[in-house]
Amino acid sequence: MNAVCKAHFQSLSYSRKLVVNRMKREPTRFGRILSFNNQVLLLPSSHTSFSKLIVPSSATTHSLHVLADEDRYDISSTEIRRVIKSHFGGYQEGFTCVTVNCPSCNTLSSTNKEASNDLGKLHINLRTGYSFCTRCFLSGPWSSLASYMKALGASKLKSEKTKICPPGITQHLSQYTPTASTAEANEMRQLWNSAQPIHSLSEETLVPFLDKLRLGDLSMDTLEKVGAKINLNLEQLILPCLTTKDAPFHSIKIITPNRNQSETIEPDSGPELDEYYRVEEKNIPKQHPWLLGYHLAKNKDEVIVTATAADTLTALDCLAVPAVCLPSGISNLPLATMAFLESFRKITLWLGHGVQGADCARAFARKLGEKRCRLIRSSEETPSALQCRMKGKNVAQVLKTALPMTHKSVTTFSSLRKDVYAEITQSSTVAGVRWRRFPVLSDLLKGHRRGELTVFTGPTGAGKTTFLSEYSLDLCMQDVRTLWGSFEIRNVRLAKMMLQQFSGLMLESETREMFNVVADEFEKLPMYFLAFHGQQDVTSVLEAMSHAVYVHDISHIVIDNLQFMMGTSSSEHSSMDRYYRQDQIIGSFRRFATDNNVHVTLVIHPRKEAMDELSASSIFGGAKASQEADNVLILQDKRTNDPTCRRKYLEVAKNRYAGDLGVMPLEFHKESLSFAPRNKRTASTKVAAAAAANNNNKVNQFTSSSLQSGRGRAQ
């Protein structure tokens, strides 16, 4: 990673402390007594500050979104190679990593020194410097590995004079541990111990159970090879994620019949998605890097990568090529998981899940190296492996239809044919994720799609940032992984605004316990922040965005706003120079959105003109902004006869996908900082309003109803 990304990211785990500090300084509006967990808490009056009531907790909440300063290091891939070579004496070049003998493994066993053996190797990612050993699971950021190499170099200099022991790498890097709680670890152990091995069950017992999972055609041999167990009482097929045949496992996948009869499928989502809702798959722990089936594929040159355990079992049963299952499905591809896939020269991505799965497969191929990746496009003719078998198709023949990830600048209609058919038959899925808080906007734009550039403008002080905060939060609550870059408003204030929109509560008048409930749920969202403020160089911003897309699989980026990347004005630059510079920046964001298949929302201020109503030509600069954009959204703020009252609405001035133009009336609700219509408010706001009338049950209602109903699955 180049010398621009240090401290470019921060998560809510850091921001929430600053939000609390800001709330302490702001007076609240109500004074009352609230009973919480059988304890009487005095809520502050209008003259009492939070600092007298809130006692900071000593517990530290672990967040998956934390990217600490030591995780980001100013170093390029060339420098990584140079440093590794100078300290380790050489390295093995890979597709995404450089590989060296793991110092920790090699001190335990001399057999790990074989260069051809992938086990006992430390993989250093060339983009981030993150290191991971696929045998002892030693891992850490580049800064930790650099400190080890520095200590190793110092010990070599001292050893020339006196004999001293070299430093241990475990003093700097630590063993990878999944984010599993004690309850998850106990649950995994209990489920595994209570389950029965496959060989102990008769065929009369096994086949009816597998039929419930749509796996009735699986052979006993395949289930035994993966080390499966069955719990007949709980109707669970338990699959361990092994790195070697005899090694202990650190995670399990559980397949059970889907008992949720209320689960519905989108009408245009495609028939190949139907089977994914017939069974449920669960990970314990929820977040981990291990691949199901890896122990059967580790010494092979080719592997099939699937998104579900059922597809992996089907591929193993039907094909000679080994198959593995991604730990998080199509959600994301962790850096540690990429280390396990480093040894394969040919990777076939067969993720299923229709259009969404194809988009994720392309993103994963860019991370893994497009030259070694092939793609099976999910469609009615070539659905998932499980669907192929259930429809009587020859799975081996479908595998032959995998196409290489060819040059992105050259294509033919033959390669576009299936995408065109998907555009016709799966219109709602191709249209993207619909906004739940803004149904009128969904009707106009049809949805939020990857690979597009949206230009957003509006008068100063009209509420552009406030609206975009809720606009992006709506999508993020549907698992659209979002990166926010606000150069005008600091992340603390932005996070506070999002918390209020997320909860529908005026947090200044709430207790610390209520804030913790809201913040804990908000931390679960895939929301990330760029730690920029004020004037920034566009190259630094683009490199930080590229890092986030690579590491966190970001699919939506909000940049507020473009003027902060144009530099300060000086006598050396004419107005034409500023326009040309703006056109260059817009072109860079357009290419970034297309090349990385992410949606970029770019805020551009309008010209300072005395206009009652803005149009696409009101955007500051030349015509390139409106030409390059797929969507142009204008927040109109019209004056009325009453100077204290203004009429606001969102105008869709350009819509390249559907062509529909129109307006969406907006009504601002100050208590929740929301522009969503009152009759279309999210469940979180409704429950929060009900909870405000019943203080004794506020926290319980918010936790059980508000946040769970507010979250949803992306279409």
Side-chain angles (χ1 to χ4, degrees):
M1 186 176 177
N2 292 338
V4 292
C5 294
K6 185 176 182 180
H8 284 180
F9 295 94
Q10 64 184 28
S11 72
L12 186 65
S13 294
Y14 171 73
S15 298
R16 64 185 291 183
K17 298 179 181 179
L18 302 181
V19 172
V20 172
N21 292 335
R22 183 178 295 276
M23 291 172 61
K24 290 179 182 179
R25 298 193 297 268
E26 297 181 2
T28 57
R29 301 183 178 182
F30 305 99
R32 61 183 185 271
I33 295 179
L34 173 66
S35 175
F36 180 78
N37 289 346
N38 298 324
Q39 296 182 3
V40 177
L41 302 177
L42 176 62
L43 295 185
S45 65
S46 59
H47 303 288
T48 308
S49 67
F50 255 100
S51 59
K52 298 180 181 180
L53 299 172
I54 297 178
V55 180
S57 172
S58 59
T60 302
T61 302
H62 177 74
S63 172
L64 294 176
H65 302 176
V66 173
L67 190 62
D69 288 342
E70 59 268 18
D71 295 328
R72 306 177 298 272
Y73 209 82
D74 299 343
I75 193 166
S76 64
S77 58
T78 303
E79 185 67 10
I80 289 177
R81 291 185 179 94
R82 187 192 66 79
V83 174
I84 293 297
K85 184 177 181 179
S86 63
H87 286 83
F88 288 94
Y91 58 82
Q92 182 179 353
E93 186 76 26
F95 297 96
T96 62
C97 305
V98 291
T99 306
V100 297
N101 292 333
C102 176
S104 178
C105 291
N106 292 335
T107 57
L108 299 176
S109 174
S110 60
T111 59
N112 295 324
K113 296 181 180 179
E114 299 178 8
S116 61
N117 190 355
D118 182 61
L119 296 179
K121 298 291 184 178
L122 189 66
H123 301 267
I124 300 98
N125 190 282
L126 289 172
R127 286 286 298 272
T128 65
Y130 176 82
S131 55
F132 184 84
C133 175
T134 53
R135 179 180 180 182
C136 68
F137 311 135
L138 198 70
S139 65
W142 173 255
S143 57
S144 298
L145 183 61
S147 65
Y148 164 72
M149 291 185 291
K150 182 178 179 180
L152 185 64
S155 67
K156 288 181 179 179
L157 293 176
K158 293 181 180 180
S159 63
E160 296 177 357
K161 300 179 180 179
T162 59
K163 291 185 178 181
I164 60 173
C165 296
I169 192 172
T170 54
Q171 299 175 5
H172 302 272
L173 274 70
S174 58
Q175 187 179 31
Y176 184 96
T177 54
T179 56
S181 62
T182 304
E184 283 183 319
N186 293 336
E187 181 185 5
M188 180 172 64
R189 190 181 306 109
Q190 182 179 1
L191 288 175
W192 182 256
N193 293 335
S194 61
Q196 298 174 268
I198 294 296
H199 61 78
S200 66
L201 300 174
S202 64
E203 186 174 351
E204 292 77 12
T205 303
L206 184 61
V207 172
F209 171 76
L210 294 177
D211 284 338
K212 295 181 181 180
L213 304 178
R214 306 297 190 269
L215 298 173
D217 295 330
L218 277 182
S219 66
M220 186 84 70
D221 182 57
T222 299
L223 292 173
E224 290 181 350
K225 283 194 301 184
V226 298
K229 282 189 174 184
I230 290 179
N231 190 321
L232 294 176
N233 295 329
L234 299 178
E235 294 187 327
Q236 293 177 336
L237 176 62
I238 304 175
L239 307 167
C241 297
L242 302 170
T243 54
T244 60
K245 182 178 180 180
D246 300 323
F249 59 87
H250 298 269
S251 64
I252 59 175
K253 281 185 174 290
I254 302 175
I255 306 178
T256 58
N258 190 350
R259 303 180 182 87
N260 187 3
Q261 301 299 326
S262 63
E263 185 75 52
T264 58
I265 304 173
E266 296 296 332
D268 294 331
S269 59
E272 75 274 10
L273 296 183
D274 182 61
E275 292 302 322
Y276 290 107
Y277 296 94
R278 302 284 182 89
V279 297
E280 293 179 349
E281 293 192 7
K282 175 183 177 182
N283 287 343
I284 301 180
K286 293 182 180 179
Q287 301 289 338
H288 66 85
W290 291 282
L291 295 161
L292 174 65
Y294 176 77
H295 66 291
L296 302 174
K298 62 180 180 180
N299 294 324
K300 307 293 183 179
D301 289 334
E302 182 180 358
V303 70
I304 299 171
V305 175
T306 72
T308 66
D311 288 336
T312 298
L313 293 175
T314 303
L316 288 172
D317 201 50
C318 298
L319 303 171
V321 181
V324 296
C325 178
L326 293 175
S328 302
I330 63 173
S331 176
N332 70 315
L333 179 61
L335 294 179
T337 303
M338 292 173 59
F340 287 106
L341 296 171
E342 187 67 17
S343 62
F344 300 107
R345 297 182 179 276
K346 182 179 178 181
I347 298 176
T348 301
L349 297 169
W350 196 355
L351 303 184
H353 290 82
V355 176
Q356 186 181 8
D359 288 340
C360 292
R362 295 187 185 99
F364 293 167
R366 285 192 294 270
K367 294 178 69 172
L368 294 169
E370 290 182 330
K371 291 184 179 180
R372 62 169 174 161
C373 291
R374 300 171 67 86
L375 172 65
I376 298 180
R377 180 70 162 80
S378 179
S379 65
E380 290 187 15
E381 292 78 17
T382 57
S384 67
L386 176 62
Q387 278 277 307
C388 283
R389 190 171 197 177
M390 294 185 65
K391 292 183 177 182
K393 294 181 179 292
N394 189 322
V395 179
Q397 290 297 324
V398 175
L399 180 62
K400 294 180 180 180
T401 65
L403 298 175
M405 306 296 291
T406 53
H407 196 284
K408 58 185 177 182
S409 299
V410 180
T411 187
T412 63
F413 179 74
S414 298
S415 60
L416 297 174
R417 181 169 178 167
K418 293 181 179 179
D419 291 325
V420 173
Y421 182 73
E423 290 264 357
I424 297 172
T425 60
Q426 303 180 33
S427 57
S428 65
T429 304
V430 175
V433 182
R434 295 176 65 86
W435 289 269
R436 293 177 174 174
R437 299 191 179 203
F438 306 108
V440 176
L441 184 62
S442 295
D443 293 339
L444 291 172
L445 295 179
K446 307 307 178 187
H448 181 272
R449 295 165 292 278
R450 283 174 171 261
E452 292 189 356
L453 173 66
T454 295
V455 170
F456 187 85
T457 190
T460 301
K464 294 187 295 297
T465 303
T466 304
F467 175 81
L468 278 181
S469 171
E470 187 174 16
Y471 164 98
S472 62
L473 179 62
D474 188 335
L475 298 170
C476 189
M477 292 174 68
Q478 301 180 67
D479 293 332
V480 176
R481 304 176 74 85
T482 304
L483 175 67
W484 244 97
S486 176
F487 308 130
E488 191 170 358
I489 298 179
R490 294 190 180 275
N491 287 333
V492 176
R493 187 169 296 176
L494 178 62
K496 177 187 173 184
M497 182 191 306
M498 287 186 175
L499 281 177
Q500 197 153 334
Q501 293 171 337
F502 177 70
S503 63
L505 300 172
M506 187 173 290
L507 295 176
E508 291 87 346
S509 60
E510 301 300 331
T511 63
R512 175 61 180 268
E513 288 79 5
M514 192 60 183
F515 171 80
N516 285 335
V517 171
V518 176
D520 288 342
E521 291 298 324
F522 188 88
E523 275 189 290
K524 298 176 183 178
L525 298 179
M527 177 73 72
Y528 301 81
F529 300 90
L530 284 172
F532 287 122
H533 189 261
Q535 293 286 348
Q536 299 295 333
D537 179 64
V538 65
T539 304
S540 302
V541 176
L542 289 172
E543 290 190 1
M545 290 164 51
S546 178
H547 177 82
V549 171
Y550 182 80
V551 175
H552 301 294
D553 300 302
I554 298 297
S555 58
H556 182 208
I557 301 175
V558 182
I559 299 297
D560 183 15
N561 61 63
L562 178 139
Q563 274 78 1
F564 280 90
M565 289 175 286
M566 294 180 60
T568 57
S569 60
S570 64
S571 58
E572 299 178 3
H573 300 288
S574 64
S575 59
M576 181 63 69
D577 291 328
R578 291 199 301 272
Y579 291 156
Y580 177 71
R581 193 158 59 254
Q582 175 173 320
D583 289 348
Q584 284 185 318
I585 294 173
I586 293 173
S588 298
F589 281 107
R590 169 73 270 178
R591 287 191 298 272
F592 185 92
T594 302
D595 294 343
N596 294 277
N597 195 30
V598 299
H599 192 116
V600 176
T601 300
L602 182 62
V603 179
I604 306 178
H605 280 282
R607 295 190 181 96
K608 302 299 181 182
E609 299 176 351
M611 297 180 62
D612 186 43
E613 187 172 2
L614 301 177
S615 64
S617 60
S618 303
I619 300 173
F620 181 83
K624 190 176 182 66
S626 57
Q627 291 172 352
E628 293 280 10
D630 297 284
N631 312 293
V632 175
L633 306 181
I634 304 175
L635 182 60
Q636 301 284 6
D637 187 8
K638 299 192 67 175
R639 299 177 181 272
T640 62
N641 295 331
D642 184 359
T644 62
C645 180
R646 294 186 177 184
R647 185 168 66 91
K648 295 184 180 181
Y649 58 91
L650 184 73
E651 179 183 357
V652 179
K654 182 179 181 180
N655 180 1
R656 183 170 286 166
Y657 176 80
D660 296 333
L661 306 180
V663 298
M664 178 180 69
L666 297 175
E667 181 183 357
F668 183 64
H669 310 291
K670 189 174 182 180
E671 69 280 359
S672 59
L673 301 180
S674 172
F675 282 99
R678 288 189 181 275
N679 59 340
K680 295 289 185 181
R681 302 295 293 278
T682 60
S684 61
T685 306
K686 295 179 181 178
V687 174
N694 187 358
N695 294 329
N696 292 332
N697 297 324
K698 181 179 294 184
V699 175
N700 293 333
Q701 288 188 28
F702 188 88
T703 305
S704 61
S705 302
S706 170
L707 298 176
Q708 291 180 6
S709 59
R711 295 172 63 85
R713 183 180 61 253
Q715 295 179 3

